[in-house]
Amino acid sequence: MSELINELPPASVQAQLLQVAEAQSVPAWMSSLRLAGAREWRAAAWPDRRTELWKYTPLAALRNRQFQHASLSQPAWSATQALNVDAIRLVFVNGVFDASASSPGHAAVVRFSDADAQQQALIARHLGHVATTTRHLFASLSNALVADGVLVHVAPDTALDKPVHIVHVAVPQAEPVVVSPRLLVVLEAQAELELIEQFVSDTQEQNGFVNSLTEIHCGAGAQLRHYRINLEQEHMLHVGGVHVDLWRDAHYRGFTLAEGSALKRIDYQINHQAAGASAALDGIYLPRNRQLLDYHTNVEHKAPHCTTSETFRGIVADDARAVFNGRIHIHPQAQKTLAELNNRTLLTSDRAQIDTKPELEIYADDVKCAHGATVSQLDPTAQFYLRSRGLSAIQARSMLSFGFINELLQAIEQPAVREHLHAHLQGLFAEALPGTVTNP
Amino acid sequence: MSEQVESLIRKDYSAGFHTQIESDTLRPGLDEEVVRFISAKKEEPEWLLEWRLKAFRAWQEMEEPTWAHVSYPLVDFQALSYYSAPRSMANKPKSLDEVDPELLATYAKLGIPLHEQEALAGVAVDAVFDSVSVVTTYRAKLEEAGVIFCPISEAVHRFPELVKKYLGSVVPQKDNFYAALNSAVFSDGSFVYIPKEVRCPMELSTYFRINEVKTGQFERTLIVADEGSHVSYLEGCTAPMRDENQLHAAVVELVALDDAQIKYSTVQNWYPGDKEGKGGIYNFVTKRGLCHRNARISWTQVETGSAITWKYPSCILKGDNSVGEFYSVALTNNLQQADTGTKMIHIGKNTRSTIVAKGISAGRSQSAYRGLVRINAGAEGARNYTQCDSLLIGDRCGAHTFPYIESRNASAVIEHEATTSKVSDDQLFLCQQRGLDAEKAVSMIVNGFCREVFKELPMEFAVEAGKLLEVSLEGSVG
Amino acid sequence: MLEIRNLSARVEGNDILRQLSLSIRPGEVHAIMGPNGAGKSTLGNVLAGRPGYEVTGGEVLFHGKDLLAMEIEERAREGVFLAFQYPVEIPGVSNMEFLKAAVDARRRHLGLGELSSFDFMKLARDAAKRVNLDQAFLKRGVNEGFSGGEKKRNEILQMMLLEPSLCILDETDSGLDIDALQVVAAGVNAMRDGQRSFIVVTHYQRLLDYIVPDHVHVLAAGRIARSGSKELALELEAKGYSWLEDEGV
């Protein structure tokens, strides 16, 4: 790998992160994916404002940090906000597996490092094949850095009796670390799974960088309910990607929620690979203070009779910035597609910013597609109405903010997730929202 | 139905004839000498030559933009000629009687009679043929009202202060690649000035015609509406059918001072190329208006022609309470490609903008809406409403929507909606069952789809636009 | 006026009509009844020429002409009118504009001149009144945002203006309340003039209380299983359709 690094400017972020890869020791069966990833990462042009996919999101926060690979010893960590749910749980602290905080093992869930030959073959077949790097630069970095990860494999016609819950805890270390969580989900035909991915940190000021990549293969008729919740401390840098392949009649139902940070970018890439597949994705983004939060979603309709429904809502407070880009691409063969995307944003401060771009690219005619986007503030009439009934201005704003996203929260089927977020957000809205909105 | 639809979209381009006329055409190629030649030919003052040269030097440093959703072989700018004028125009005819009858016949054939007694009542026309303005009708009547409507080459001499003050004030020389090119080599175009509190007594119109082979057309239009004035302006365009692609890189600048209103309508019917995509105009146009306090600029466009359309008529809503509007129908057929839309830049308080864009794709064409709505931090109370609808006819075309929404002010309200639909089998069957033929049925459905835009056009042109769509779609259903 | 001989038709690869024969004379009202899936709607759609309905055999003569050889709009101009089971919405195209174009096309075909806008408007307003539709509906997009009943009344309005010689009502009664049903029936009855013929496709006998048929046919498995007078409809109402199968038809 060293010859790859040599061709890059030594101080560049690209070179810096490849040096981390070089310092890792990994099993030989992963080396070809790592090398391919490193090549792509090196060859890719570094994004700037003229790069369409990074137009509104500067990567400056990555610069000037000497990232290390997380040490293999167990870092100390204190209380987390991890969700309390009866589940098959795996906890990682700065990428290092914490057996004491995790539940006992389960046959369907294995770490790459514990995989037997058959599982290694399965991993090799899918890992790096669901994810595409064309629209997700950091997937190639993840490939370059892949060392361990989690495989969830559900056999045909099987449903796990408990959700799988994967928790990534970030804690600050003396030197900033880069953590590369990797998750591979393989659902065989008619398999069913409920999956919760949670990113948390302790409350100390963080200095790390998480580059996470989740790959999901839903075989024919498979069904996945997927929650991805991103509530780290605001100095944590996070770039994440979720790539989903849906085969015949497979169904993916996703929910994602994130607060912002110095840099937070989350990509969803959903591919309808065969007829009859359907995907529904709900998202909530809540940046505040000086945070940045960028969601990019891309749905590729490559087969006929597939359905997509996407709803994203965000509340941007203080000096925060949010970016939403939702693309739906209907290929010529994808007749009878139904696709809908809806994005609504509230700005609760005069300094808050939103850049949104719902995109439709359509090459088939017998389709029904629509998208909508709105940007507005809390309705002054509604605020007035609540206050005239005796609520304080803050109560009114908190209530209305909550109301704006509550529909998506209520649609969460997993009670533990719903209640956890409900409580968290109520706290957030009650504490936040300083008097930046002018009273009517 | 697809096959039925496909076979309906076939029709000849009726404006595709060539006028046999002797022209003085400059050698192909572009360098400083060419810029100086054009400036000298127009006997321009020194400042304008310098202005052109500055643009030319900037252009040399710039790259052709590639971000639009269109693909075509890059233009060889050195293979084009940058100036062509009918020889008979060399000695500037003083009146219509002195204009070459061939030229008048050309416009008559296009349905644009230039004799005032035959012309559309209430519409003054500036006819631009290749690089020069042939004639401007009703000038006397307009001047009575204080309205200036003349070729821009003439305005440079007669109203140098106005031209100097406003030229490039909305679209600077270095704005983009094509605007820079236009600034360097623009040949002619229209200049309009409406004095304070004057309501222009008639519709103003410019008709552009490209005739000569391998000639680029680079007209420049500048419209200044002084405080409290009103004007409605229409442009039309056609070109002969040729196998080679021709370049049209125009710049239009609108200035609406306090309380002024400008309505700018375009019916664009440049030659779109043949059914195999051979030939046709490359239409790379920069149109922008600047609104001062309480001013309103309204762009209405019906785009049916050109092989490639790259065009984003925009409004800078600088003044408080100013209003920007964009109503567009873009129809592509065969192998045409259009990437068009608008930019609404909200700077002033309580500024409002409305965007209604209708794209119709047929044949193997690609039609994209690309729009930007930007609310700056100071644009307290700004409002935008955007509606983009695409209609697909046949299963080999594409329809795309790329709206950029950037908000920096919490009190702004932005709404964007987009839908895609097709002319459904059921709609077609219903119309046919009631006795309409498929062609009439499609044109009726398409016209219904475009209604919101057509109602923004001046009456006579709304009818023309409807017919134009019908013609452009002919052969799209069997 | 209409002669259907051994008509067979296929939809999406399934044979729906199997050698159906039916003869209709001027002025007659024929009711076509039958269980779901018997091919009732198919018959109307085939006669009107709906794409996707493939004729695999037989012939249809309409006023002595080969109906099946005609384009959809030719059939319409010749006087075939199909009132749709599910009327289609055409956004942006006003009802008035649509109706005028259709009436003009029919009149041109008959060698009559086009109506002036004024005369047409008057006709359209009268017709709207007769089917109890507000004038405002004439200006709205074709069926755009109309309720189910309004759409069906709009179909009858079109029928009145086009003055066809053969009216095919495809389950026009479905989804109508009794008031709307009476309005529709009154519209139809007003058009019975001894020359104009009707094919009334329905699942329920109820409509036939208001539009009294001369003949009732029961369609099963793609052909006419039984024909009779209006009493047959009452018998069907009482017994349901299953007895047809019991009789081994």
Side-chain angles (χ1 to χ4, degrees):
Chain A
M1 205 165 279
S2 53
E3 72 278 15
L4 294 177
I5 303 171
N6 290 341
E7 294 166 26
L8 290 166
S12 68
V13 180
Q14 294 110 296
Q16 227 277 295
L17 288 164
L18 279 188
Q19 274 155 16
V20 175
E22 202 182 27
Q24 286 172 306
S25 62
V26 283
W29 61 279
M30 289 183 182
S31 58
S32 69
L33 180 61
R34 286 171 57 88
L35 199 62
R39 285 212 178 94
E40 266 185 4
W41 173 252
R42 181 204 53 165
W46 190 243
D48 61 23
R49 281 192 70 83
R50 284 165 300 176
T51 312
E52 188 63 27
L53 289 167
W54 293 91
K55 188 176 165 71
Y56 300 110
T57 302
L59 286 166
L62 282 176
R63 238 177 273 136
N64 305 324
R65 292 203 197 188
Q66 290 294 313
F67 289 109
Q68 309 291 317
H69 197 259
S71 59
L72 291 173
S73 64
Q74 188 71 62
W77 63 287
S78 53
T80 75
Q81 311 147 325
L83 170 73
N84 188 14
V85 57
D86 180 22
I88 303 160
R89 179 178 296 110
L90 288 88
V91 178
F92 295 83
V93 181
N94 281 359
V96 179
F97 182 61
D98 183 342
S100 64
S102 301
S103 64
H106 187 285
V109 184
V110 64
R111 283 186 294 133
F112 294 175
S113 47
D114 291 339
D116 61 25
Q118 219 178 345
Q119 287 163 331
Q120 282 182 14
L122 186 72
I123 294 168
R125 187 155 74 243
H126 292 288
L127 195 72
H129 292 289
V130 178
T132 46
T133 53
T134 37
R135 296 180 63 87
H136 185 197
L137 169 66
F138 282 82
S140 48
L141 177 65
S142 177
N143 287 340
L145 293 177
V146 64
D148 202 353
V150 176
L151 167 69
V152 180
H153 180 213
V154 186
D157 300 305
T158 310
L160 296 195
D161 56 346
K162 285 180 186 180
V164 172
H165 182 200
I166 297 175
V167 187
H168 286 281
V169 184
V171 296
Q173 290 186 198
E175 295 294 324
V177 295
V178 52
V179 177
S180 244
R182 193 78 185 225
L183 173 62
L184 175 64
V185 178
V186 179
L187 301 190
E188 304 287 358
Q190 319 294 335
E192 286 177 38
L193 175 68
E194 186 176 19
L195 171 70
I196 305 163
E197 280 189 274
Q198 203 183 4
F199 295 86
V200 296
S201 62
D202 63 8
T203 51
Q204 304 173 67
E205 181 161 324
Q206 302 290 321
N207 57 3
F209 167 39
V210 168
N211 178 37
S212 87
L213 182 57
T214 298
E215 292 177 86
I216 296 168
H217 166 96
C218 287
Q223 300 207 20
L224 176 65
R225 187 75 179 86
H226 178 208
Y227 304 90
R228 189 186 192 281
I229 295 153
N230 223 154
L231 301 171
E232 297 138 308
Q233 195 272 343
E234 68 177 6
H235 291 282
M236 192 72 206
L237 311 184
H238 184 111
V239 175
V242 176
H243 294 242
V244 186
D245 270 350
L246 297 172
W247 297 91
R248 194 175 179 94
D249 300 325
H251 179 58
Y252 172 82
R253 173 131 179 74
F255 173 87
T256 176
L257 179 143
E259 292 175 6
S261 79
L263 166 65
K264 190 169 285 184
R265 160 70 172 253
I266 299 160
D267 278 72
Y268 270 80
Q269 168 83 37
I270 297 171
N271 305 306
H272 291 289
Q273 301 282 20
S278 61
L281 178 62
D282 288 349
I284 297 175
Y285 47 97
L286 301 165
R288 60 202 163 110
N289 301 332
R290 304 187 65 83
Q291 301 165 358
L292 166 68
L293 177 52
D294 177 354
Y295 265 106
H296 266 61
T297 70
N298 180 39
V299 183
E300 299 281 345
H301 278 266
K302 299 181 184 176
H305 294 282
C306 295
T307 305
T308 299
S309 156
E310 218 181 303
T311 306
F312 270 76
R313 297 213 178 151
I315 302 175
V316 190
D318 309 327
D319 295 82
R321 293 188 49 207
V323 179
F324 175 77
N325 190 309
R327 176 173 185 258
I328 295 174
H329 179 189
I330 318 281
H331 294 245
Q333 66 274 26
Q335 296 292 358
K336 306 281 179 194
T337 291
L338 295 178
E340 266 186 4
L341 184 154
N342 186 281
N343 170 233
R344 293 173 62 188
T345 307
L346 278 185
L347 300 181
T348 62
S349 139
D350 268 344
R351 299 175 308 280
Q353 302 185 6
I354 171 76
D355 296 299
T356 171
K357 183 174 164 224
E359 284 180 67
L360 282 172
E361 223 172 298
I362 299 174
Y363 298 90
D365 67 329
D366 195 1
V367 300
K368 277 212 175 80
C369 297
H371 69 213
T374 63
V375 180
S376 56
Q377 60 181 337
L378 289 174
D379 179 1
T381 321
Q383 289 184 68
F384 171 71
Y385 181 78
L386 292 181
R387 292 176 68 193
S388 76
R389 297 292 180 270
L391 276 71
S392 73
I394 287 189
Q395 265 179 309
R397 284 201 298 269
S398 155
M399 193 174 279
L400 291 171
S401 298
F402 201 83
F404 184 71
I405 55 167
N406 198 23
E407 191 187 325
L408 300 186
L409 284 184
Q410 289 310 313
I412 294 174
E413 289 142 13
Q414 165 59 249
V417 174
R418 188 175 60 233
E419 282 152 26
H420 174 78
L421 290 177
H422 199 274
H424 176 78
L425 295 181
Q426 260 185 341
L428 182 78
F429 289 130
E431 111 200 9
L433 296 163
T436 43
V437 178
T438 45
N439 295 333
Chain B
M1 180 203 70
S2 308
E3 281 170 40
Q4 222 182 354
V5 175
E6 294 280 312
S7 54
L8 230 183
I9 314 184
R10 301 283 166 220
K11 171 74 183 195
D12 293 335
Y13 179 74
S14 66
F17 61 90
H18 168 73
T19 306
Q20 285 299 336
I21 198 159
E22 278 188 66
S23 287
D24 287 321
T25 303
L26 191 61
R27 62 161 169 85
L30 181 54
D31 50 31
E32 272 203 28
E33 202 185 319
V34 169
V35 177
R36 286 176 191 282
F37 171 87
I38 294 169
S39 189
K41 192 89 184 167
K42 308 257 172 203
E43 297 164 10
E44 285 175 356
E46 187 61 24
W47 70 266
L48 190 51
L49 174 62
E50 283 309 316
W51 194 87
R52 285 176 181 274
L53 289 171
K54 194 175 146 202
F56 177 71
R57 287 166 199 145
W59 177 76
Q60 284 180 305
E61 304 295 315
M62 296 167 98
E63 277 173 30
E64 210 172 335
T66 53
W67 41 260
H69 195 278
V70 293
S71 63
Y72 58 96
L74 286 186
V75 178
D76 180 358
F77 290 95
Q78 297 305 333
L80 293 176
S81 167
Y82 289 82
Y83 187 84
S84 175
R87 187 158 291 165
S88 59
M89 293 298 294
N91 296 320
K92 298 203 181 113
K94 299 283 176 295
S95 74
L96 213 52
D97 303 334
E98 293 176 26
V99 173
D100 187 336
E102 268 302 316
L103 284 174
L104 295 181
T106 299
Y107 284 91
K109 204 165 162 187
L110 293 167
I112 321 283
L114 296 176
H115 289 283
E116 290 183 5
Q117 61 274 27
E118 298 164 12
L120 275 174
V123 183
V125 180
D126 183 16
V128 176
F129 193 89
D130 288 334
S131 300
V132 294
S133 170
V134 174
V135 68
T136 309
T137 63
Y138 289 113
R139 284 171 65 165
K141 187 170 176 200
L142 289 169
E143 276 170 27
E144 274 172 39
V147 172
I148 302 169
F149 180 40
C150 69
I152 198 161
S153 54
E154 185 184 321
V156 168
H157 296 285
R158 289 180 55 202
F159 313 101
E161 289 316 309
L162 280 175
V163 175
K164 201 170 174 178
K165 181 168 176 191
Y166 291 109
L167 186 72
S169 67
V170 186
V171 181
Q173 289 126 300
K174 299 178 193 173
D175 188 80
N176 67 70
F177 183 82
Y178 303 113
L181 177 63
N182 175 285
S183 300
V185 301
F186 74 89
S187 40
D188 220 334
S190 302
F191 174 77
V192 176
Y193 173 79
I194 318 289
K196 278 185 194 173
E197 310 297 337
V198 168
R199 189 176 278 269
C200 185
M202 53 176 63
E203 300 271 347
L204 304 184
S205 158
T206 300
Y207 197 91
F208 296 105
R209 174 76 180 170
I210 299 181
N211 192 59
E212 203 47 51
V213 193
K214 287 191 177 158
T215 305
Q217 180 153 343
F218 306 93
E219 83 270 359
R220 184 120 194 158
T221 300
L222 175 59
I223 299 178
V224 180
D226 212 327
E227 293 172 14
S229 65
H230 288 236
V231 61
S232 170
Y233 181 92
L234 183 117
E235 69 169 27
C237 357
T238 55
M241 289 157 60
R242 297 193 187 288
D243 287 347
E244 303 86 20
N245 295 106
Q246 284 172 283
L247 177 65
H248 174 249
V251 171
V252 175
E253 293 179 280
L254 309 184
V255 180
L257 297 176
D258 292 358
D259 305 300
Q261 296 194 12
I262 302 176
K263 187 176 176 63
Y264 193 106
S265 314
T266 305
V267 175
Q268 188 263 104
N269 184 26
W270 292 120
Y271 177 52
D274 68 9
K275 292 175 185 69
E276 273 69 52
K278 203 167 183 195
I281 301 286
Y282 288 169
N283 195 33
F284 302 139
V285 172
T286 306
K287 292 183 165 176
R288 195 175 302 151
L290 178 64
C291 283
H292 291 264
R293 205 162 42 80
N294 303 331
R296 174 194 290 258
I297 288 179
S298 175
W299 297 101
T300 305
Q301 60 171 24
V302 177
E303 306 272 313
T304 61
S306 298
I308 313 266
T309 301
W310 180 100
K311 182 179 170 190
Y312 315 91
S314 306
C315 296
I316 300 172
L317 303 171
K318 184 177 164 213
D320 292 352
N321 312 315
S322 57
V323 178
E325 293 170 322
F326 176 75
Y327 299 95
S328 169
V329 167
L331 182 147
T332 53
N333 195 355
N334 298 319
L335 284 162
Q336 284 176 270
Q337 305 175 64
D339 192 298
T340 183
T342 184
K343 291 189 256 185
M344 294 290 174
I345 313 293
H346 292 254
I347 300 170
K349 292 187 177 48
N350 300 315
T351 46
R352 279 174 296 145
S353 62
T354 303
I355 299 171
V356 177
K358 304 275 183 177
I360 302 146
S361 315
R364 285 177 286 163
S365 69
Q366 300 290 331
S367 173
Y369 167 81
R370 185 181 303 277
L372 169 66
V373 173
R374 177 183 290 153
I375 312 288
N376 281 10
E380 201 68 28
R383 296 279 180 279
N384 163 264
Y385 173 74
T386 300
Q387 189 193 330
C388 293
D389 299 316
S390 308
L391 186 68
L392 293 124
I393 304 177
D395 58 4
R396 288 180 302 163
C397 52
H400 319 297
T401 316
F402 307 107
Y404 294 73
I405 301 164
E406 305 177 353
S407 182
R408 307 280 176 269
N409 188 299
S411 66
V413 177
I414 306 169
E415 285 175 83
H416 170 96
E417 284 172 39
T419 64
T420 298
S421 56
K422 65 171 206 158
V423 175
S424 78
D425 298 358
D426 287 344
Q427 290 176 336
L428 209 53
F429 177 58
L430 172 71
C431 293
Q432 287 180 279
Q433 210 298 310
R434 298 297 182 258
L436 307 179
D437 56 48
E439 206 160 295
K440 175 75 185 159
V442 166
S443 97
M444 194 177 244
I445 292 166
V446 168
N447 266 290
F449 176 76
C450 301
R451 167 141 312 162
E452 285 161 278
V453 174
F454 286 173
K455 74 178 174 27
E456 296 298 322
L457 285 171
M459 183 75 96
E460 313 85 84
F461 301 113
V463 177
E464 188 187 323
K467 282 187 191 146
L468 190 56
L469 282 198
E470 216 162 298
V471 167
S472 304
L473 273 174
E474 239 169 88
S476 70
V477 186
Chain C
M1 59 109 62
L2 183 74
E3 196 65 47
I4 304 173
R5 292 186 192 132
N6 298 323
L7 181 64
S8 297
R10 182 182 285 181
V11 181
E12 289 179 351
N14 301 317
D15 292 318
I16 307 291
L17 297 184
R18 299 161 198 262
Q19 302 210 317
L20 181 145
S21 296
L22 178 65
S23 176
I24 296 178
R25 288 189 297 265
E28 290 180 343
V29 175
H30 290 241
I32 309 267
M33 303 185 70
N36 287 326
K40 300 190 302 281
S41 288
T42 301
L43 177 61
N45 284 316
V46 166
L47 293 178
R50 187 168 204 142
Y53 290 76
E54 185 194 349
V55 174
T56 50
E59 62 175 350
V60 179
L61 296 179
F62 182 58
H63 295 302
K65 294 180 191 164
D66 181 357
L67 185 71
L68 300 178
M70 297 181 203
E71 292 295 326
I72 303 167
E73 60 267 32
E74 276 180 83
R75 301 181 198 201
R77 292 170 192 173
E78 285 284 332
V80 176
F81 181 93
L82 173 67
F84 286 46
Q85 184 179 0
Y86 304 108
V88 183
E89 298 193 9
I90 311 178
V93 175
S94 86
N95 226 352
M96 189 67 105
E97 175 189 10
F98 170 70
L99 291 170
K100 173 128 183 10
V103 169
D104 284 346
R106 169 112 165 106
R107 288 182 63 94
R108 274 198 304 273
H109 185 74
L110 296 176
L112 304 166
E114 293 182 8
L115 288 173
S116 72
S117 296
F118 180 82
D119 289 343
F120 177 75
M121 218 103 106
K122 197 166 164 305
L123 270 182
R125 288 208 185 111
D126 286 351
K129 212 169 286 169
R130 280 159 65 198
V131 295
N132 205 10
L133 264 185
D134 194 277
Q135 306 286 317
F137 284 93
L138 293 171
K139 289 187 186 146
R140 283 168 56 179
V142 177
N143 293 323
E144 196 179 355
F146 288 26
S147 73
E150 287 158 358
K151 283 181 182 170
K152 294 291 173 77
R153 278 182 275 156
N154 197 25
E155 293 289 285
I156 302 303
L157 180 147
Q158 292 174 28
M159 187 166 91
M160 287 173 166
L161 291 173
L162 288 170
E163 302 183 336
S165 56
L166 174 65
C167 306
I168 307 164
L169 307 183
D170 186 5
E171 306 215 11
T172 299
D173 51 335
S174 65
L176 289 189
D177 62 28
I178 196 74
D179 292 342
L181 188 72
Q182 285 177 354
V183 170
V184 166
V188 170
N189 288 331
M191 291 185 70
R192 291 175 74 165
D193 61 358
Q195 285 305 305
R196 184 170 291 125
S197 309
F198 293 83
I199 298 177
V200 180
V201 174
T202 180
H203 190 71
Y204 306 102
Q205 194 273 335
R206 189 180 67 158
L207 177 66
L208 305 182
D209 288 343
Y210 300 97
I211 304 173
V212 181
D214 300 304
H215 302 274
V216 174
H217 310 279
V218 181
L219 208 61
R223 56 166 65 181
I224 291 175
R226 278 202 46 188
S227 297
S229 64
K230 63 180 190 238
E231 281 71 30
L232 177 58
L234 295 167
E235 196 179 338
L236 285 168
E237 179 84 349
K239 292 191 190 168
Y241 290 109
S242 53
W243 60 275
L244 285 170
E245 284 143 40
D246 297 343
E247 286 183 4
V249 186

